[in-house]
Amino acid sequence: MPGTVKKYRSNRFVESAPSFGFWIVGLLTVAFIASPFLSKTLVSKVVSVEEGEPATLSPIPVQRSLVGALRVDVKARIPTNRWVTYEIQLRNREGEIIASAVKPAWKESGTWYEDGESGTWQEEDLQGGLDVRLSRREQDELTVAIAVLEYTDTSGQDIDKPVNFYVKVQNGAIDTRFFFVGLVGTLSLTALSYLSVHRTGKTVLSKSINDSDVTGRAIVGGENNLIKIIIDVRSDETSPRQLTAHFNINDGYGLQVYSGAHVMPLRYSKNDKGRVESASGKAVLYFVIKPRGSYGFSIEIMPDGPVDRTLLIVQENAKTLGETDVIEISAS
């Protein structure tokens, strides 16, 4: 007797890794877009600092933010071909240093000559800063201090002039550089997991013949075992717009437990002159076959005249990217 055949749509065999990756990408994107709105600017001003005389800004009332950190950005404003080394300090109400950083800053330009050609160049590295995640005891008033440690020209000659610095203090600032690293890494892993789903499963039968009929047998099946059937056909220039794959499954006793016809639209390959040289079609079917055992698979492509090659691949323990049509067979 033929087996019992039931067709339905199911998401029971969906691989969750790609979907999880897309959710993370979405969250990172939302966080990146929202990050500028989560921070609050506390100070934005220009200060003038002389070497040996640190400049101290007015105390800033600060509360620890739920996300992000307290960010102090300092950018030196110096003429071309000057070097300045400065220190940034963050002090609490008692004057204790809770964070500091030393920044060698410079701004240079010049002329280059090579193979009879010449041009000018200009480079600079002027910005320094601190990102501090405050503890509860550090919530109150904080003070930013800036000191010029050394100010010279490119020859090393000391310059006895004040240096202007643009100072910006933000609370709840988020370092977006890590968003790009996380986004690229997550996208790469998501793409790999997406591609790997198509390769998921163990191939138990792969048979190709230069004709329209293919048969083979393999041990497959089980309650939670998704069987993936791939039918790949190559045909000549006389092919119609579609071919039909008549697909049959027999149990270990040779009794037919499934028979179905599956239409395969064809894609045509043309030469440089626009003439059709060949055509190809593919059908992917998903089965749950119970119980596990030895089953025979056979394909007959109709019409068979244009068919040059037919490939049958049977894989078990397959996964899908989303809800898909499944044919469940309960063999007698």
PDB file of all heavy atoms in Angstrom, residues 142-178:
ATOM      1  N   LEU A 142      33.088  67.641  38.906  1.00  0.00           N
ATOM      2  CA  LEU A 142      34.379  67.285  38.338  1.00  0.00           C
ATOM      3  C   LEU A 142      34.977  68.513  37.658  1.00  0.00           C
ATOM      4  O   LEU A 142      34.256  69.390  37.175  1.00  0.00           O
ATOM      5  CB  LEU A 142      34.234  66.150  37.324  1.00  0.00           C
ATOM      6  CG  LEU A 142      33.703  64.824  37.872  1.00  0.00           C
ATOM      7  CD1 LEU A 142      33.542  63.818  36.744  1.00  0.00           C
ATOM      8  CD2 LEU A 142      34.623  64.262  38.945  1.00  0.00           C
ATOM      9  N   THR A 143      36.302  68.530  37.632  1.00  0.00           N
ATOM     10  CA  THR A 143      37.018  69.656  37.049  1.00  0.00           C
ATOM     11  C   THR A 143      37.982  69.162  35.986  1.00  0.00           C
ATOM     12  O   THR A 143      38.695  68.176  36.198  1.00  0.00           O
ATOM     13  CB  THR A 143      37.802  70.425  38.128  1.00  0.00           C
ATOM     14  OG1 THR A 143      36.901  70.876  39.133  1.00  0.00           O
ATOM     15  CG2 THR A 143      38.518  71.632  37.525  1.00  0.00           C
ATOM     16  N   VAL A 144      37.993  69.841  34.837  1.00  0.00           N
ATOM     17  CA  VAL A 144      38.926  69.530  33.758  1.00  0.00           C
ATOM     18  C   VAL A 144      40.081  70.525  33.809  1.00  0.00           C
ATOM     19  O   VAL A 144      39.861  71.746  33.879  1.00  0.00           O
ATOM     20  CB  VAL A 144      38.234  69.606  32.383  1.00  0.00           C
ATOM     21  CG1 VAL A 144      39.248  69.358  31.265  1.00  0.00           C
ATOM     22  CG2 VAL A 144      37.096  68.600  32.299  1.00  0.00           C
ATOM     23  N   ALA A 145      41.303  70.000  33.791  1.00  0.00           N
ATOM     24  CA  ALA A 145      42.502  70.844  33.787  1.00  0.00           C
ATOM     25  C   ALA A 145      43.358  70.471  32.586  1.00  0.00           C
ATOM     26  O   ALA A 145      43.482  69.284  32.243  1.00  0.00           O
ATOM     27  CB  ALA A 145      43.294  70.676  35.075  1.00  0.00           C
ATOM     28  N   ILE A 146      43.953  71.482  31.953  1.00  0.00           N
ATOM     29  CA  ILE A 146      44.818  71.276  30.787  1.00  0.00           C
ATOM     30  C   ILE A 146      46.142  71.964  31.036  1.00  0.00           C
ATOM     31  O   ILE A 146      46.173  73.145  31.424  1.00  0.00           O
ATOM     32  CB  ILE A 146      44.169  71.828  29.506  1.00  0.00           C
ATOM     33  CG1 ILE A 146      42.812  71.170  29.267  1.00  0.00           C
ATOM     34  CG2 ILE A 146      45.080  71.610  28.297  1.00  0.00           C
ATOM     35  CD1 ILE A 146      42.033  71.790  28.133  1.00  0.00           C
ATOM     36  N   ALA A 147      47.230  71.235  30.803  1.00  0.00           N
ATOM     37  CA  ALA A 147      48.571  71.790  30.998  1.00  0.00           C
ATOM     38  C   ALA A 147      49.397  71.581  29.742  1.00  0.00           C
ATOM     39  O   ALA A 147      49.369  70.503  29.143  1.00  0.00           O
ATOM     40  CB  ALA A 147      49.251  71.137  32.192  1.00  0.00           C
ATOM     41  N   VAL A 148      50.138  72.643  29.333  1.00  0.00           N
ATOM     42  CA  VAL A 148      51.068  72.534  28.213  1.00  0.00           C
ATOM     43  C   VAL A 148      52.413  72.101  28.765  1.00  0.00           C
ATOM     44  O   VAL A 148      53.036  72.814  29.567  1.00  0.00           O
ATOM     45  CB  VAL A 148      51.190  73.879  27.466  1.00  0.00           C
ATOM     46  CG1 VAL A 148      52.286  73.788  26.402  1.00  0.00           C
ATOM     47  CG2 VAL A 148      49.868  74.260  26.822  1.00  0.00           C
ATOM     48  N   LEU A 149      52.884  70.944  28.372  1.00  0.00           N
ATOM     49  CA  LEU A 149      54.157  70.410  28.863  1.00  0.00           C
ATOM     50  C   LEU A 149      55.330  70.870  28.005  1.00  0.00           C
ATOM     51  O   LEU A 149      56.440  71.072  28.510  1.00  0.00           O
ATOM     52  CB  LEU A 149      54.097  68.883  28.900  1.00  0.00           C
ATOM     53  CG  LEU A 149      52.933  68.269  29.688  1.00  0.00           C
ATOM     54  CD1 LEU A 149      53.007  66.753  29.645  1.00  0.00           C
ATOM     55  CD2 LEU A 149      52.942  68.769  31.128  1.00  0.00           C
ATOM     56  N   GLU A 150      55.070  71.013  26.691  1.00  0.00           N
ATOM     57  CA  GLU A 150      56.144  71.446  25.780  1.00  0.00           C
ATOM     58  C   GLU A 150      55.516  72.023  24.517  1.00  0.00           C
ATOM     59  O   GLU A 150      54.554  71.480  23.996  1.00  0.00           O
ATOM     60  CB  GLU A 150      57.043  70.260  25.426  1.00  0.00           C
ATOM     61  CG  GLU A 150      58.278  70.638  24.634  1.00  0.00           C
ATOM     62  CD  GLU A 150      59.175  69.438  24.357  1.00  0.00           C
ATOM     63  OE1 GLU A 150      58.685  68.291  24.472  1.00  0.00           O
ATOM     64  OE2 GLU A 150      60.342  69.641  24.008  1.00  0.00           O
ATOM     65  N   TYR A 151      56.096  73.145  24.046  1.00  0.00           N
ATOM     66  CA  TYR A 151      55.582  73.806  22.849  1.00  0.00           C
ATOM     67  C   TYR A 151      56.768  74.268  22.015  1.00  0.00           C
ATOM     68  O   TYR A 151      57.540  75.130  22.452  1.00  0.00           O
ATOM     69  CB  TYR A 151      54.685  74.985  23.237  1.00  0.00           C
ATOM     70  CG  TYR A 151      53.996  75.665  22.071  1.00  0.00           C
ATOM     71  CD1 TYR A 151      53.655  74.959  20.920  1.00  0.00           C
ATOM     72  CD2 TYR A 151      53.672  77.019  22.132  1.00  0.00           C
ATOM     73  CE1 TYR A 151      53.002  75.588  19.858  1.00  0.00           C
ATOM     74  CE2 TYR A 151      53.018  77.654  21.076  1.00  0.00           C
ATOM     75  CZ  TYR A 151      52.696  76.930  19.943  1.00  0.00           C
ATOM     76  OH  TYR A 151      52.060  77.552  18.890  1.00  0.00           O
ATOM     77  N   THR A 152      56.958  73.653  20.837  1.00  0.00           N
ATOM     78  CA  THR A 152      58.134  73.943  20.014  1.00  0.00           C
ATOM     79  C   THR A 152      57.740  74.027  18.543  1.00  0.00           C
ATOM     80  O   THR A 152      56.635  73.641  18.153  1.00  0.00           O
ATOM     81  CB  THR A 152      59.207  72.847  20.171  1.00  0.00           C
ATOM     82  OG1 THR A 152      58.708  71.628  19.599  1.00  0.00           O
ATOM     83  CG2 THR A 152      59.560  72.615  21.629  1.00  0.00           C
ATOM     84  N   ASP A 153      58.717  74.506  17.740  1.00  0.00           N
ATOM     85  CA  ASP A 153      58.554  74.394  16.292  1.00  0.00           C
ATOM     86  C   ASP A 153      59.198  73.101  15.834  1.00  0.00           C
ATOM     87  O   ASP A 153      59.695  72.308  16.651  1.00  0.00           O
ATOM     88  CB  ASP A 153      59.130  75.618  15.574  1.00  0.00           C
ATOM     89  CG  ASP A 153      60.611  75.830  15.866  1.00  0.00           C
ATOM     90  OD1 ASP A 153      61.288  74.855  16.292  1.00  0.00           O
ATOM     91  OD2 ASP A 153      61.110  76.958  15.671  1.00  0.00           O
ATOM     92  N   THR A 154      59.198  72.843  14.537  1.00  0.00           N
ATOM     93  CA  THR A 154      59.708  71.561  14.032  1.00  0.00           C
ATOM     94  C   THR A 154      61.209  71.380  14.231  1.00  0.00           C
ATOM     95  O   THR A 154      61.714  70.268  14.201  1.00  0.00           O
ATOM     96  CB  THR A 154      59.383  71.421  12.538  1.00  0.00           C
ATOM     97  OG1 THR A 154      59.851  72.587  11.838  1.00  0.00           O
ATOM     98  CG2 THR A 154      57.891  71.275  12.322  1.00  0.00           C
ATOM     99  N   SER A 155      61.923  72.493  14.468  1.00  0.00           N
ATOM    100  CA  SER A 155      63.370  72.404  14.710  1.00  0.00           C
ATOM    101  C   SER A 155      63.692  72.139  16.169  1.00  0.00           C
ATOM    102  O   SER A 155      64.839  71.945  16.540  1.00  0.00           O
ATOM    103  CB  SER A 155      64.057  73.694  14.255  1.00  0.00           C
ATOM    104  OG  SER A 155      63.638  74.792  15.049  1.00  0.00           O
ATOM    105  N   GLY A 156      62.662  72.162  17.037  1.00  0.00           N
ATOM    106  CA  GLY A 156      62.871  71.932  18.462  1.00  0.00           C
ATOM    107  C   GLY A 156      63.027  73.198  19.268  1.00  0.00           C
ATOM    108  O   GLY A 156      63.274  73.137  20.477  1.00  0.00           O
ATOM    109  N   GLN A 157      62.875  74.331  18.642  1.00  0.00           N
ATOM    110  CA  GLN A 157      63.005  75.615  19.328  1.00  0.00           C
ATOM    111  C   GLN A 157      61.752  75.885  20.163  1.00  0.00           C
ATOM    112  O   GLN A 157      60.631  75.822  19.661  1.00  0.00           O
ATOM    113  CB  GLN A 157      63.202  76.735  18.302  1.00  0.00           C
ATOM    114  CG  GLN A 157      63.452  78.112  18.902  1.00  0.00           C
ATOM    115  CD  GLN A 157      64.794  78.206  19.603  1.00  0.00           C
ATOM    116  OE1 GLN A 157      65.772  77.606  19.148  1.00  0.00           O
ATOM    117  NE2 GLN A 157      64.835  78.936  20.714  1.00  0.00           N
ATOM    118  N   ASP A 158      61.950  76.201  21.459  1.00  0.00           N
ATOM    119  CA  ASP A 158      60.816  76.487  22.339  1.00  0.00           C
ATOM    120  C   ASP A 158      60.084  77.742  21.884  1.00  0.00           C
ATOM    121  O   ASP A 158      60.694  78.717  21.416  1.00  0.00           O
ATOM    122  CB  ASP A 158      61.294  76.680  23.783  1.00  0.00           C
ATOM    123  CG  ASP A 158      61.691  75.367  24.435  1.00  0.00           C
ATOM    124  OD1 ASP A 158      61.199  74.313  23.982  1.00  0.00           O
ATOM    125  OD2 ASP A 158      62.499  75.387  25.382  1.00  0.00           O
ATOM    126  N   ILE A 159      58.766  77.707  22.063  1.00  0.00           N
ATOM    127  CA  ILE A 159      57.923  78.850  21.707  1.00  0.00           C
ATOM    128  C   ILE A 159      57.234  79.331  22.975  1.00  0.00           C
ATOM    129  O   ILE A 159      56.527  78.574  23.649  1.00  0.00           O
ATOM    130  CB  ILE A 159      56.885  78.454  20.647  1.00  0.00           C
ATOM    131  CG1 ILE A 159      57.596  77.982  19.367  1.00  0.00           C
ATOM    132  CG2 ILE A 159      55.951  79.622  20.344  1.00  0.00           C
ATOM    133  CD1 ILE A 159      56.659  77.427  18.330  1.00  0.00           C
ATOM    134  N   ASP A 160      57.456  80.579  23.301  1.00  0.00           N
ATOM    135  CA  ASP A 160      56.904  81.148  24.526  1.00  0.00           C
ATOM    136  C   ASP A 160      55.623  81.905  24.212  1.00  0.00           C
ATOM    137  O   ASP A 160      55.558  83.142  24.290  1.00  0.00           O
ATOM    138  CB  ASP A 160      57.927  82.079  25.179  1.00  0.00           C
ATOM    139  CG  ASP A 160      57.474  82.552  26.563  1.00  0.00           C
ATOM    140  OD1 ASP A 160      56.547  81.915  27.116  1.00  0.00           O
ATOM    141  OD2 ASP A 160      58.011  83.552  27.066  1.00  0.00           O
ATOM    142  N   LYS A 161      54.590  81.147  23.831  1.00  0.00           N
ATOM    143  CA  LYS A 161      53.292  81.727  23.525  1.00  0.00           C
ATOM    144  C   LYS A 161      52.199  80.793  24.053  1.00  0.00           C
ATOM    145  O   LYS A 161      52.414  79.580  24.157  1.00  0.00           O
ATOM    146  CB  LYS A 161      53.106  81.921  22.020  1.00  0.00           C
ATOM    147  CG  LYS A 161      53.976  83.018  21.429  1.00  0.00           C
ATOM    148  CD  LYS A 161      53.651  83.197  19.950  1.00  0.00           C
ATOM    149  CE  LYS A 161      54.484  84.324  19.348  1.00  0.00           C
ATOM    150  NZ  LYS A 161      54.170  84.522  17.907  1.00  0.00           N
ATOM    151  N   PRO A 162      51.026  81.334  24.395  1.00  0.00           N
ATOM    152  CA  PRO A 162      49.934  80.469  24.851  1.00  0.00           C
ATOM    153  C   PRO A 162      49.380  79.634  23.694  1.00  0.00           C
ATOM    154  O   PRO A 162      49.490  80.016  22.531  1.00  0.00           O
ATOM    155  CB  PRO A 162      48.896  81.458  25.383  1.00  0.00           C
ATOM    156  CG  PRO A 162      49.181  82.732  24.675  1.00  0.00           C
ATOM    157  CD  PRO A 162      50.659  82.766  24.446  1.00  0.00           C
ATOM    158  N   VAL A 163      48.773  78.524  24.043  1.00  0.00           N
ATOM    159  CA  VAL A 163      48.164  77.624  23.067  1.00  0.00           C
ATOM    160  C   VAL A 163      46.664  77.583  23.334  1.00  0.00           C
ATOM    161  O   VAL A 163      46.230  77.424  24.480  1.00  0.00           O
ATOM    162  CB  VAL A 163      48.748  76.201  23.164  1.00  0.00           C
ATOM    163  CG1 VAL A 163      48.086  75.277  22.143  1.00  0.00           C
ATOM    164  CG2 VAL A 163      50.250  76.219  22.963  1.00  0.00           C
ATOM    165  N   ASN A 164      45.899  77.740  22.285  1.00  0.00           N
ATOM    166  CA  ASN A 164      44.444  77.645  22.408  1.00  0.00           C
ATOM    167  C   ASN A 164      43.984  76.201  22.237  1.00  0.00           C
ATOM    168  O   ASN A 164      44.497  75.465  21.374  1.00  0.00           O
ATOM    169  CB  ASN A 164      43.756  78.523  21.371  1.00  0.00           C
ATOM    170  CG  ASN A 164      43.922  80.006  21.654  1.00  0.00           C
ATOM    171  OD1 ASN A 164      44.071  80.403  22.810  1.00  0.00           O
ATOM    172  ND2 ASN A 164      43.919  80.816  20.617  1.00  0.00           N
ATOM    173  N   PHE A 165      43.025  75.816  23.053  1.00  0.00           N
ATOM    174  CA  PHE A 165      42.454  74.477  22.994  1.00  0.00           C
ATOM    175  C   PHE A 165      40.928  74.587  22.951  1.00  0.00           C
ATOM    176  O   PHE A 165      40.333  75.367  23.696  1.00  0.00           O
ATOM    177  CB  PHE A 165      42.843  73.635  24.213  1.00  0.00           C
ATOM    178  CG  PHE A 165      44.308  73.339  24.318  1.00  0.00           C
ATOM    179  CD1 PHE A 165      45.152  74.198  25.019  1.00  0.00           C
ATOM    180  CD2 PHE A 165      44.846  72.212  23.732  1.00  0.00           C
ATOM    181  CE1 PHE A 165      46.504  73.919  25.132  1.00  0.00           C
ATOM    182  CE2 PHE A 165      46.199  71.928  23.841  1.00  0.00           C
ATOM    183  CZ  PHE A 165      47.037  72.790  24.537  1.00  0.00           C
ATOM    184  N   TYR A 166      40.333  73.788  22.056  1.00  0.00           N
ATOM    185  CA  TYR A 166      38.874  73.667  22.063  1.00  0.00           C
ATOM    186  C   TYR A 166      38.520  72.482  22.954  1.00  0.00           C
ATOM    187  O   TYR A 166      38.996  71.360  22.739  1.00  0.00           O
ATOM    188  CB  TYR A 166      38.330  73.452  20.662  1.00  0.00           C
ATOM    189  CG  TYR A 166      36.858  73.128  20.639  1.00  0.00           C
ATOM    190  CD1 TYR A 166      35.915  74.080  21.018  1.00  0.00           C
ATOM    191  CD2 TYR A 166      36.398  71.866  20.264  1.00  0.00           C
ATOM    192  CE1 TYR A 166      34.563  73.793  21.014  1.00  0.00           C
ATOM    193  CE2 TYR A 166      35.055  71.568  20.267  1.00  0.00           C
ATOM    194  CZ  TYR A 166      34.140  72.538  20.637  1.00  0.00           C
ATOM    195  OH  TYR A 166      32.799  72.239  20.659  1.00  0.00           O
ATOM    196  N   VAL A 167      37.700  72.732  23.966  1.00  0.00           N
ATOM    197  CA  VAL A 167      37.343  71.705  24.950  1.00  0.00           C
ATOM    198  C   VAL A 167      35.845  71.427  24.860  1.00  0.00           C
ATOM    199  O   VAL A 167      35.030  72.354  24.868  1.00  0.00           O
ATOM    200  CB  VAL A 167      37.700  72.154  26.383  1.00  0.00           C
ATOM    201  CG1 VAL A 167      37.368  71.043  27.383  1.00  0.00           C
ATOM    202  CG2 VAL A 167      39.172  72.532  26.477  1.00  0.00           C
ATOM    203  N   LYS A 168      35.519  70.141  24.780  1.00  0.00           N
ATOM    204  CA  LYS A 168      34.120  69.721  24.761  1.00  0.00           C
ATOM    205  C   LYS A 168      33.944  68.567  25.740  1.00  0.00           C
ATOM    206  O   LYS A 168      34.672  67.564  25.665  1.00  0.00           O
ATOM    207  CB  LYS A 168      33.703  69.284  23.360  1.00  0.00           C
ATOM    208  CG  LYS A 168      32.222  68.946  23.237  1.00  0.00           C
ATOM    209  CD  LYS A 168      31.864  68.607  21.790  1.00  0.00           C
ATOM    210  CE  LYS A 168      30.381  68.328  21.629  1.00  0.00           C
ATOM    211  NZ  LYS A 168      30.029  68.004  20.220  1.00  0.00           N
ATOM    212  N   VAL A 169      32.989  68.717  26.645  1.00  0.00           N
ATOM    213  CA  VAL A 169      32.714  67.678  27.643  1.00  0.00           C
ATOM    214  C   VAL A 169      31.287  67.191  27.434  1.00  0.00           C
ATOM    215  O   VAL A 169      30.346  68.001  27.407  1.00  0.00           O
ATOM    216  CB  VAL A 169      32.901  68.206  29.070  1.00  0.00           C
ATOM    217  CG1 VAL A 169      32.634  67.094  30.086  1.00  0.00           C
ATOM    218  CG2 VAL A 169      34.307  68.766  29.258  1.00  0.00           C
ATOM    219  N   GLN A 170      31.126  65.881  27.289  1.00  0.00           N
ATOM    220  CA  GLN A 170      29.808  65.274  27.092  1.00  0.00           C
ATOM    221  C   GLN A 170      29.587  64.175  28.116  1.00  0.00           C
ATOM    222  O   GLN A 170      30.523  63.437  28.461  1.00  0.00           O
ATOM    223  CB  GLN A 170      29.678  64.668  25.690  1.00  0.00           C
ATOM    224  CG  GLN A 170      29.709  65.667  24.554  1.00  0.00           C
ATOM    225  CD  GLN A 170      29.695  64.956  23.218  1.00  0.00           C
ATOM    226  OE1 GLN A 170      30.678  64.329  22.816  1.00  0.00           O
ATOM    227  NE2 GLN A 170      28.572  65.044  22.523  1.00  0.00           N
ATOM    228  N   ASN A 171      28.363  64.055  28.572  1.00  0.00           N
ATOM    229  CA  ASN A 171      28.001  62.956  29.458  1.00  0.00           C
ATOM    230  C   ASN A 171      27.090  61.997  28.706  1.00  0.00           C
ATOM    231  O   ASN A 171      26.187  62.418  27.978  1.00  0.00           O
ATOM    232  CB  ASN A 171      27.301  63.479  30.710  1.00  0.00           C
ATOM    233  CG  ASN A 171      27.293  62.444  31.827  1.00  0.00           C
ATOM    234  OD1 ASN A 171      28.100  61.521  31.832  1.00  0.00           O
ATOM    235  ND2 ASN A 171      26.390  62.600  32.768  1.00  0.00           N
ATOM    236  N   GLY A 172      27.319  60.691  28.891  1.00  0.00           N
ATOM    237  CA  GLY A 172      26.542  59.687  28.172  1.00  0.00           C
ATOM    238  C   GLY A 172      27.034  59.466  26.756  1.00  0.00           C
ATOM    239  O   GLY A 172      26.293  58.970  25.903  1.00  0.00           O
ATOM    240  N   ALA A 173      28.292  59.826  26.475  1.00  0.00           N
ATOM    241  CA  ALA A 173      28.849  59.658  25.131  1.00  0.00           C
ATOM    242  C   ALA A 173      29.156  58.190  24.874  1.00  0.00           C
ATOM    243  O   ALA A 173      29.564  57.447  25.772  1.00  0.00           O
ATOM    244  CB  ALA A 173      30.112  60.491  24.964  1.00  0.00           C
ATOM    245  N   ILE A 174      28.968  57.772  23.630  1.00  0.00           N
ATOM    246  CA  ILE A 174      29.214  56.391  23.222  1.00  0.00           C
ATOM    247  C   ILE A 174      30.275  56.388  22.137  1.00  0.00           C
ATOM    248  O   ILE A 174      30.206  57.181  21.190  1.00  0.00           O
ATOM    249  CB  ILE A 174      27.927  55.724  22.704  1.00  0.00           C
ATOM    250  CG1 ILE A 174      26.876  55.698  23.809  1.00  0.00           C
ATOM    251  CG2 ILE A 174      28.195  54.315  22.203  1.00  0.00           C
ATOM    252  CD1 ILE A 174      25.521  55.196  23.365  1.00  0.00           C
ATOM    253  N   ASP A 175      31.258  55.515  22.275  1.00  0.00           N
ATOM    254  CA  ASP A 175      32.329  55.415  21.287  1.00  0.00           C
ATOM    255  C   ASP A 175      31.814  54.635  20.076  1.00  0.00           C
ATOM    256  O   ASP A 175      31.741  53.408  20.096  1.00  0.00           O
ATOM    257  CB  ASP A 175      33.547  54.720  21.890  1.00  0.00           C
ATOM    258  CG  ASP A 175      34.789  54.875  21.024  1.00  0.00           C
ATOM    259  OD1 ASP A 175      34.634  55.213  19.829  1.00  0.00           O
ATOM    260  OD2 ASP A 175      35.902  54.666  21.523  1.00  0.00           O
ATOM    261  N   THR A 176      31.432  55.348  19.026  1.00  0.00           N
ATOM    262  CA  THR A 176      30.825  54.698  17.856  1.00  0.00           C
ATOM    263  C   THR A 176      31.818  53.916  17.018  1.00  0.00           C
ATOM    264  O   THR A 176      31.408  53.181  16.120  1.00  0.00           O
ATOM    265  CB  THR A 176      30.127  55.749  16.973  1.00  0.00           C
ATOM    266  OG1 THR A 176      31.076  56.772  16.627  1.00  0.00           O
ATOM    267  CG2 THR A 176      28.955  56.375  17.687  1.00  0.00           C
ATOM    268  N   ARG A 177      33.115  54.063  17.296  1.00  0.00           N
ATOM    269  CA  ARG A 177      34.093  53.268  16.537  1.00  0.00           C
ATOM    270  C   ARG A 177      33.839  51.779  16.705  1.00  0.00           C
ATOM    271  O   ARG A 177      34.031  50.996  15.783  1.00  0.00           O
ATOM    272  CB  ARG A 177      35.520  53.607  16.994  1.00  0.00           C
ATOM    273  CG  ARG A 177      35.960  55.020  16.687  1.00  0.00           C
ATOM    274  CD  ARG A 177      37.317  55.280  17.296  1.00  0.00           C
ATOM    275  NE  ARG A 177      37.281  55.108  18.742  1.00  0.00           N
ATOM    276  CZ  ARG A 177      38.356  55.164  19.525  1.00  0.00           C
ATOM    277  NH1 ARG A 177      39.553  55.366  18.983  1.00  0.00           N
ATOM    278  NH2 ARG A 177      38.264  55.004  20.824  1.00  0.00           N
ATOM    279  N   PHE A 178      33.383  51.376  17.874  1.00  0.00           N
ATOM    280  CA  PHE A 178      33.142  49.966  18.127  1.00  0.00           C
ATOM    281  C   PHE A 178      31.867  49.481  17.436  1.00  0.00           C
ATOM    282  O   PHE A 178      31.706  48.292  17.198  1.00  0.00           O
ATOM    283  CB  PHE A 178      33.079  49.707  19.628  1.00  0.00           C
ATOM    284  CG  PHE A 178      34.370  49.984  20.335  1.00  0.00           C
ATOM    285  CD1 PHE A 178      34.560  51.151  21.051  1.00  0.00           C
ATOM    286  CD2 PHE A 178      35.420  49.090  20.248  1.00  0.00           C
ATOM    287  CE1 PHE A 178      35.755  51.409  21.690  1.00  0.00           C
ATOM    288  CE2 PHE A 178      36.622  49.332  20.884  1.00  0.00           C
ATOM    289  CZ  PHE A 178      36.790  50.501  21.610  1.00  0.00           C
TER     290      PHE A 178
END
